Amino acid sequence: MDLTRLKLLVELSRWETMAAVAEETGYGTSAVSKHLAILEREAGVQLLAADGRRVRLTPAGNRLVEHAKAILARLEEARAELEGDTEPAGTVRVASFGTAAEPLLVPALHRLAADHPPVDVHLYEHEPDTTVELVLADRMDLGIIYDYSLVPRELPSELTVHELGGEPLFLAVPADGSRTASPAPLRLKDVRALSEESWFANSRGEEDAELARRLCASAGYTPRIAHRVDSVHIVTSLVAGGLGVALVPRLGVQPNRDDIVYRPAADVAGARRIFLISRPGGWAWAPIRTVGRYLLDTARRTPLDPTE
């Protein structure tokens, strides 16, 4: 049923005459009559009955008016919500990789819960490839993903992308007293000296492995990627035990350990970049827009790169 005709039926229930409805809505009296006649055909039941020179609503007409009022009220609520006229409320699904949770998600969601309790965020941990697929499939509303400046990610054009920041990379090596365990910034000659080492990479994506390959290719060899481990804490412990070396972002650095050395590697390995993605139009809905703004604000308040 046409919404305009439902509105005219509601107005008739209020003003009781077609002439009054016409005056109130700006339609001509004959136009109001024609619209209501069409509405009767759409409804398949008699909505109006002659009452002298006027018309009155039949029981079916009165019942449809009640439905119409509810429908129009819900539409008005939806309009107000989308335009930001009301307190945002609803469930927002957010997918993120693990190391972004503590510096970005936790403070953002704590502030959000205090400021906007009706916004209910459901959080899921996924690697970037999976997050992109879930957002595209409308199974997630927002996604936090990363790429490396040496391994840029090609994102589908149908996504809306906001950059949250970037963080420098470090090479984690055992603190075994060797020359490669120097805390000095990493240089290509140092990368060449690691040609016999085992390297770590992520098990759920190829970005880490490709980063190691491109770094080592610039030093003239192909790295032996022997370990596929997702937890940065486990990687750190294995590196400390002498089982290999790994490139880690600043968020993965554990500064209080004395059994591992982190060599600044930004000059040769670049940085990890972090993005917030959504479907086009997603930010038109107030709850998604609110969560997104809190994440962007948190990233601005706490730069991932402390040199910024």
Side-chain angles (χ1 to χ4, degrees):
M1 298 179 194
D2 182 84
L3 291 175
T4 298
R5 293 170 192 136
L6 287 175
K7 291 178 182 178
L8 290 175
L9 186 68
V10 171
E11 292 299 324
L12 181 63
S13 73
R14 290 172 178 166
W15 300 103
E16 297 184 346
T17 69
M18 298 245 186
V21 172
E23 183 177 349
E24 182 67 20
T25 62
Y27 286 94
T29 303
S30 61
V32 172
S33 178
K34 288 178 182 178
H35 275 299
L36 293 176
I38 295 171
L39 181 63
E40 276 194 324
R41 292 198 295 271
E42 291 175 340
V45 295
Q46 185 179 358
L47 302 176
L48 306 174
D51 186 10
R53 300 183 65 177
R54 298 187 176 191
V55 294
R56 59 177 174 80
L57 294 173
T58 66
N62 282 311
R63 185 60 182 148
L64 183 56
V65 165
E66 295 306 311
H67 283 298
K69 287 179 179 178
I71 291 168
L72 295 172
R74 291 296 299 274
L75 286 172
E76 182 61 23
E77 288 175 9
R79 182 205 61 77
E81 182 178 296
L82 292 176
E83 293 182 0
D85 294 343
T86 61
E87 169 72 7
T91 299
V92 179
R93 304 159 298 175
V94 180
S96 172
F97 60 96
T99 51
E102 191 167 359
L104 286 176
L105 282 167
V106 171
L109 297 186
H110 280 173
R111 291 173 50 230
L112 179 72
D115 296 345
H116 302 285
V119 178
D120 183 23
V121 177
H122 291 188
L123 182 60
Y124 303 81
E125 183 178 350
H126 291 292
E127 289 299 302
D129 286 342
T130 302
T131 294
V132 169
E133 293 174 0
L134 291 172
V135 171
L136 285 172
D138 197 19
R139 294 172 59 191
M140 290 291 145
D141 301 303
L142 294 169
I144 299 176
I145 64 171
Y146 67 84
D147 73 0
Y148 297 108
S149 55
L150 282 185
V151 190
R153 182 183 297 277
E154 291 188 10
L155 290 171
S157 59
E158 55 265 41
L159 290 177
T160 298
V161 182
H162 299 268
E163 187 165 358
L164 293 175
E167 53 179 333
L169 292 172
F170 295 80
L171 183 73
V173 299
D176 56 7
S178 67
R179 180 171 62 84
T180 58
S182 163
L186 193 69
R187 299 290 182 257
L188 279 183
K189 64 179 182 179
D190 303 315
V191 179
R192 293 189 191 100
L194 298 169
S195 61
E196 299 301 318
E197 291 284 351
S198 298
W199 290 71
F200 285 82
N202 194 306
S203 73
R204 293 179 288 177
E206 279 300 304
E207 293 90 351
D208 291 5
E210 185 60 25
L211 175 64
R213 293 188 194 105
R214 295 191 183 189
L215 173 62
C216 294
S218 65
Y221 67 93
T222 300
R224 184 169 71 93
I225 299 173
H227 313 292
R228 295 278 186 165
V229 180
D230 298 326
S231 168
V232 69
H233 298 289
I234 294 175
V235 168
T236 299
S237 296
L238 293 174
V239 169
L243 295 180
V245 299
L247 287 164
V248 297
R250 190 186 70 81
L251 291 177
V253 169
Q254 298 177 18
N256 296 324
R257 299 190 67 140
D258 58 8
D259 54 358
I260 194 168
V261 172
Y262 294 98
R263 301 196 61 174
D267 288 346
V268 293
R272 183 169 77 165
R273 305 175 298 187
I274 300 177
F275 304 94
L276 178 65
I277 62 171
S278 63
R279 291 179 308 283
W283 283 48
W285 190 47
I288 292 177
R289 183 171 62 251
T290 302
V291 174
R293 286 176 174 171
Y294 271 69
L295 288 169
L296 289 169
D297 183 62
T298 299
R300 284 191 292 266
R301 289 172 180 230
T302 311
L304 301 176
D305 183 347
T307 64
E308 293 181 355

